[in-house]
């Protein structure tokens, strides 16, 4: 949908996600806007949505450029401030715990609903909202520097993003499918045979934080999760080697049978 209310939050928050997963705070953003013929009403609605997001996340527009184009194109780039050294993908060590915030898969279900590939009745609103308005764990991210050894955002998909950590950290990972958090509406849809949870585990667009930490920080992480009202789940451990494995009741899941994440093509 070309109406600003359907895409501004998505673009804005997906850009912020790259900042907060490093334990930094978004500070200023730059907007590149290329538009085709459009109405004054569209421009005012775009400005309204942009202002709402700026106020919500306490950031400001630092500059950018506008131009005319055959197609509408919008790009938002953020600059953030870090209290400590930013948390990279390259710090994970053997036996570190692996965590994710909130849930996975809801956004991908929302996209399928928009595409009219599935219909989940009363739950449609919930999933569509998760697709266009990612729920960023921004309060929790303020404390990442206290415990995270490596971190990335869940944008391309759980398996692919975890592989990125493993490649940068020169390690492997084992995650437990039973530990992966799915929302109640997603579990209900799976129970009713509308979806398969294994198919939404690594579709991407979740914009949550995937991080690793030493086991000595477990109590601290739970304490901060409670303090910031953030769901945080331990889903596995860092291992030796360079392979990401997923288990389900002691059985190895063949990851080649499921989509592992979005692949950028340039």
């Amino acid at each position: 949908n070309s109406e600003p209310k359907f895409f501004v939050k998505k673009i804005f928050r997906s850009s912020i996600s790259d900042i907060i997963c490093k334990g930094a705070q978004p500070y200023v953003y730059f907007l590149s806007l290329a538009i085709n013929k459009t109405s004054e009403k569209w421009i005012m609605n775009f400005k309204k949505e942009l202002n709402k997001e700026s106020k919500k996340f306490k950031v400001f527009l630092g500059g950018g450029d506008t131009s005319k184009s055959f197609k509408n194109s919008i790009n938002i780039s953020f600059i953030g401030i870090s209290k400590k050294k930013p948390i990279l993908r390259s710090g994970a060590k053997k036996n570190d715990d692996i965590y994710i915030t909130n849930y996975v898969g809801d956004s991908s279900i929302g996209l399928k609903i928009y595409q009219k590939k599935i219909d989940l009745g009363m739950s449609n609103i919930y999933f569509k909202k998760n697709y266009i308005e990612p729920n960023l764990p921004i309060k929790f991210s303020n404390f990442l520097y206290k415990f995270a050894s490596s971190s990335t955002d869940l944008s391309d998909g759980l398996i692919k993003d975890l592989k990125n950590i493993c490649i940068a950290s020169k390690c492997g990972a084992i995650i437990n499918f039973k530990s992966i958090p799915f929302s109640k509406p997603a579990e209900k849809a799976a129970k009713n045979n509308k979806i398969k949870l294994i198919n939404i585990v690594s579709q991407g667009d979740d914009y949550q934080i995937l991080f690793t930490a030493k086991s000595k920080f477990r109590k601290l992480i739970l304490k901060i999760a409670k303090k910031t009202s953030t769901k945080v789940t331990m889903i596995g451990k860092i291992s030796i080697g360079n392979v990401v494995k997923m288990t389900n009741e002691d059985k190895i899941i063949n990851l080649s049978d499921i989509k592992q994440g979005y692949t950028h093509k340039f």
Side-chain angles (χ1 to χ4, degrees):
N1 196 308
S2 61
E3 283 302 308
K5 68 178 181 179
F6 288 108
F7 64 79
V8 170
K9 291 183 179 68
K10 181 81 168 185
I11 298 172
F12 206 91
R13 298 182 191 187
S14 63
S15 299
I16 287 177
S17 181
D18 285 322
I19 296 289
I20 68 170
C21 75
K22 299 303 173 188
Q25 291 305 297
Y27 177 65
V28 59
Y29 66 96
F30 297 87
L31 171 69
S32 293
L33 178 64
I35 52 176
N36 197 351
K37 293 178 181 178
T38 189
S39 66
E40 183 178 346
K41 181 182 177 182
W42 189 95
I43 294 293
M44 294 308 293
N45 285 340
F46 179 78
K47 181 182 176 182
K48 179 183 176 182
E49 292 297 326
L50 207 59
N51 285 341
K52 282 164 62 176
E53 289 296 285
S54 298
K55 187 176 180 180
K56 178 179 176 66
F57 293 103
K58 298 183 174 80
V59 294
F60 67 95
L61 177 61
D65 58 59
T66 57
S67 60
K68 188 176 180 180
S69 174
F70 290 110
K71 290 184 179 182
N72 289 348
S73 176
I74 299 157
N75 181 65
I76 295 176
S77 300
F78 268 90
I79 292 176
I81 298 174
S82 180
K83 295 176 184 177
K84 301 286 184 177
K85 186 178 178 181
I87 302 151
L88 307 179
R89 295 174 179 172
S90 55
K93 303 293 182 185
K94 180 187 175 185
N95 292 325
D96 277 3
D97 297 327
I98 303 169
Y99 293 87
I100 54 176
T101 59
N102 294 319
Y103 303 106
V104 298
D106 286 345
S107 179
S108 65
I109 296 173
L111 175 60
K112 287 181 174 63
I113 291 169
Y114 270 118
Q115 294 171 335
K116 300 190 184 303
K117 291 182 178 179
I118 56 174
D119 184 351
L120 299 178
M122 294 293 288
S123 294
N124 283 355
I125 295 173
Y126 167 82
F127 290 116
K128 288 165 77 173
K129 182 178 174 66
N130 270 274
Y131 177 69
I132 64 174
E133 297 182 30
N135 180 24
L136 302 183
I138 196 159
K139 290 182 179 178
F140 183 80
S141 73
N142 288 331
F143 300 93
L144 272 179
Y145 73 92
K146 290 180 177 289
F147 48 77
S149 54
S150 70
S151 183
T152 188
D153 72 335
L154 280 176
S155 54
D156 293 336
L158 174 58
I159 297 167
K160 189 171 187 300
D161 289 321
L162 182 55
K163 279 185 175 181
N164 289 337
I165 284 179
C166 290
I167 290 169
S169 297
K170 298 178 181 178
C171 62
I174 300 174
I175 53 177
N176 182 359
F177 178 73
K178 292 290 185 182
S179 297
I180 295 171
F182 298 101
S183 66
K184 288 183 179 179
E187 289 179 341
K188 181 181 178 181
K191 189 176 180 180
N192 293 333
N193 295 317
K194 296 286 187 178
I195 63 166
K196 289 184 178 180
L197 295 178
I198 193 67
N199 292 337
I200 66 166
V201 73
S202 191
Q203 291 286 320
D205 254 7
D206 295 305
Y207 300 108
Q208 294 304 314
I209 301 174
L210 170 67
F211 68 95
T212 61
K214 295 187 183 302
S215 58
K216 69 179 182 180
F217 291 123
R218 288 178 185 177
K219 287 184 179 179
L220 176 62
I221 291 168
L222 289 175
K223 181 180 177 181
I224 293 173
K226 185 176 181 180
K227 179 180 179 180
T228 59
S229 300
T230 307
K231 181 177 179 61
V232 180
T233 309
M234 185 169 68
I235 61 168
K237 277 191 169 297
I238 294 296
S239 61
I240 58 173
N242 59 358
V243 177
V244 173
K245 296 180 181 178
M246 184 185 291
T247 63
N248 187 5
E249 295 179 349
D250 298 327
K251 293 181 180 179
I252 301 292
I253 295 174
N254 188 351
L255 296 180
S256 63
D257 291 341
I258 67 174
K259 183 177 178 182
Q260 296 189 22
Y262 180 77
T263 301
H264 297 275
K265 295 180 180 179
F266 298 102

